[in-house]
Amino acid sequence: MKKFIETANIKKWNSKFIDERTKYLSIFESMPNPVIILDDKNRINNINDAAIQLFKNNSFNIYPESVNEKEKFSWIENELKYFSSGKYSEISFIKEHKSYNDNLYFKVKLKKIKVNDNFIGTTVILDDITHLKKVSEELENSEKNLREITDSMTDIICKINIDGKIQYISPSVKQALGYNPNELIGKHIFSNIHSEDLDNAMSCFNRGFINKSITNHELRYRKQDGHYTWLEFMYNSLYGEDGNVDGVIIIARAITKIKKLEEELQKFKLAVESANLAKSEFLANMSNEIRKPLNSIIDMTDIMLFDTNLDEEQNEYMNIIKSSSESLLKIVNNILGFSKMESGKVSLEEVEFNIKDILYETLDALSIRAHEKNWNL
């Protein structure tokens, strides 16, 4: 009877063992990650379907028959030696595998198999992270390129959050303002703006948040040495996943030299305007001073012509004097007109004239000088 019970228990335990083994093998085979079971000599004892597929498509030189031949898993031989001889029960590391077409990267997890505290083998779980590795490398290259660009720029690039605190500022701030970037991280962007420019700066900042648009303006910013320098700020809003503004990118450009040039141009403009005004006043005064004696000459010639007895030759000379004086008076009036033109006060008028009379008057005025030089007009 006792023997029958023992036999029944053995069958029961065998059946339970078979069930547990079946469950284990089912889980082992269905795992999406490649899994390799090694014995205490680091020889391949079992591999699941995912591992078979991996080894078939890549140059691991491991085949399903390697299980029966008890081959060593040479790809991570050095790591296995370190692991099996150490006190760690589980470790993870990144391992590169050079394949035919491309390099593959795996996260390798080693876990010791123990029975009654005796080491009998190792479970190796592989996780293909090649895509993540490439994405990470591309991201690192992009960050490197971006860093090289920002490091070489003379303009200051600054990222601030919605509270106006600086989260990032480019190294160019050292050359432009004298600050090390770390000195400004976490500081409020408005803390170093000149008090006279602060209201306008905050208005532009808020307008960028409200209108979600690019805004720019000029302001004075305090350098590390305490002096102020002119900067041009350009705000560009950053958007979160919800579409709302959650930060701002500021590009700041030093414009102190431009401001000095503008001031010098303004001073030059004022000097030119002052000189033109002085010239116009001089011409106006000179014209008035010349017109007085000319009018006197014209009046005297009229008296001589109409109130005195002159012979024909004298009468001709007096008419020449009168005509020349009137021509000179017209020139003076024209000079005065030019000064009015420069001041924007000129007015145009239409006057009828006889060109023959003008030519004769001109010839009469020049006839005496021409006669002295024996010229014929």
Side-chain angles (χ1 to χ4, degrees):
M1 183 70 179
K2 184 177 179 181
K3 188 175 181 180
F4 174 78
I5 294 173
E6 288 178 351
T7 302
N9 286 335
I10 290 171
K11 288 182 177 179
K12 180 180 177 182
W13 285 111
N14 283 340
S15 176
K16 186 175 181 180
F17 172 77
I18 291 170
D19 289 343
E20 292 296 326
R21 177 179 172 80
T22 302
K23 289 179 182 178
Y24 162 77
L25 289 175
S26 176
I27 295 172
F28 176 72
E29 293 297 340
S30 63
M31 287 186 68
N33 290 67
V35 181
I36 303 97
I37 305 299
L38 308 177
D39 63 15
D40 59 342
K41 303 296 184 182
N42 294 328
R43 296 173 299 191
I44 298 174
N45 192 24
N46 200 358
I47 57 177
N48 67 353
D49 290 340
I52 292 173
Q53 192 66 31
L54 173 68
F55 298 152
K56 187 186 295 184
N57 296 332
N58 298 282
S59 57
F60 278 91
N61 296 322
I62 297 174
Y63 308 95
E65 53 267 24
S66 300
V67 176
N68 299 325
E69 295 174 1
K70 297 290 183 179
E71 290 186 7
K72 286 192 173 184
F73 195 22
S74 58
W75 179 53
I76 54 171
E77 185 176 1
N78 293 331
E79 290 86 351
L80 286 168
K81 285 181 181 179
Y82 168 78
F83 176 65
S84 58
S85 62
K87 60 181 180 179
Y88 300 103
S89 62
E90 185 177 319
I91 63 170
S92 296
F93 55 89
I94 305 297
K95 181 74 173 181
E96 180 184 8
H97 172 68
K98 294 183 179 180
S99 180
Y100 295 120
N101 301 322
D102 199 2
N103 290 348
L104 304 177
Y105 294 89
F106 293 90
K107 181 180 180 182
V108 183
K109 183 177 181 180
L110 304 180
K111 189 172 183 178
K112 287 181 178 178
I113 303 172
K114 289 186 176 182
V115 175
N116 297 326
D117 289 331
N118 294 319
F119 173 69
I120 63 170
T122 304
T123 301
V124 182
I125 302 175
L126 304 180
D127 186 9
D128 189 347
I129 60 168
T130 303
H131 178 69
L132 293 176
K133 182 73 173 177
K134 289 181 177 179
V135 170
S136 177
E137 288 177 352
E138 289 175 1
L139 182 60
E140 287 178 3
N141 289 332
S142 297
E143 289 178 349
K144 180 183 177 182
N145 292 334
L146 181 60
R147 187 164 54 250
E148 289 176 350
I149 291 170
T150 55
D151 288 353
S152 64
M153 291 180 66
T154 55
D155 292 348
I156 302 169
I157 300 176
C158 177
K159 179 185 177 184
I160 59 176
N161 60 18
I162 56 175
D163 297 323
K165 291 185 177 180
I166 299 172
Q167 295 179 312
Y168 168 82
I169 192 162
S170 60
S172 53
V173 71
K174 177 67 176 177
Q175 182 178 358
L177 301 175
Y179 296 102
N180 289 316
N182 292 335
E183 295 181 74
L184 297 176
I185 300 298
K187 300 291 182 63
H188 207 284
I189 188 66
F190 299 117
S191 60
N192 289 321
I193 293 177
H194 196 284
S195 58
E196 295 178 2
D197 303 326
L198 189 57
D199 289 342
N200 187 33
M202 295 184 71
S203 175
C204 290
F205 180 78
N206 293 330
R207 190 162 61 248
F209 272 96
I210 296 171
N211 300 332
K212 298 182 179 180
S213 60
I214 297 175
T215 58
N216 65 294
H217 70 285
E218 298 173 353
L219 53 81
R220 285 161 290 182
Y221 203 86
R222 186 171 63 245
K223 299 168 66 175
Q224 191 187 44
D225 60 10
H227 294 90
Y228 284 89
T229 186
W230 279 99
L231 296 178
E232 181 184 27
F233 268 30
M234 183 175 72
Y235 300 95
N236 193 3
S237 301
L238 294 174
Y239 303 94
E241 294 180 356
D242 56 0
N244 294 321
V245 178
D246 62 0
V248 171
I249 292 292
I250 297 177
I251 299 177
R253 177 172 298 173
I255 57 170
T256 301
K257 292 182 179 179
I258 296 175
K259 278 292 182 180
K260 288 182 178 179
L261 286 174
E262 288 178 354
E263 291 176 2
E264 291 176 2
L265 286 174
Q266 184 63 23
K267 290 178 181 178
F268 179 74
K269 180 183 176 183
L270 292 174
V272 170
E273 290 176 352
S274 178
N276 285 335
L277 180 61
K279 183 183 71 174
S280 298
E281 291 178 353
F282 169 75
L283 289 174
N285 292 332
M286 183 189 72
S287 299
N288 287 327
E289 293 297 325
I290 296 176
R291 287 167 72 184
K292 289 178 182 179
L294 280 176
N295 285 324
S296 298
I297 293 171
I298 293 171
D299 291 341
M300 290 301 297
T301 53
D302 285 338
I303 293 172
M304 294 292 292
L305 286 170
F306 297 108
D307 295 341
T308 59
N309 296 322
L310 299 175
D311 58 28
E312 184 177 350
E313 185 178 359
Q314 290 173 335
N315 190 64
E316 182 182 356
Y317 290 159
M318 292 306 296
N319 280 321
I320 291 173
I321 293 173
K322 181 181 179 182
S323 176
S324 299
S325 299
E326 289 175 346
S327 297
L328 185 56
L329 183 60
K330 288 179 181 178
I331 293 172
V332 172
N333 288 333
N334 287 337
I335 293 173
L336 187 59
F338 280 121
S339 65
K340 288 182 178 179
M341 287 176 62
E342 290 179 347
S343 62
K345 298 177 181 178
V346 68
S347 59
L348 301 177
E349 58 181 8
E350 293 183 4
V351 178
E352 293 184 0
F353 66 95
N354 190 316
I355 192 169
K356 287 184 178 181
D357 293 341
I358 293 174
L359 289 173
Y360 283 131
E361 289 174 0
T362 303
L363 290 173
D364 288 341
L366 299 174
S367 61
I368 296 175
R369 294 287 181 89
H371 179 71
E372 290 177 352
K373 297 182 179 183
N374 295 320
W375 291 348
N376 293 322
L377 296 178

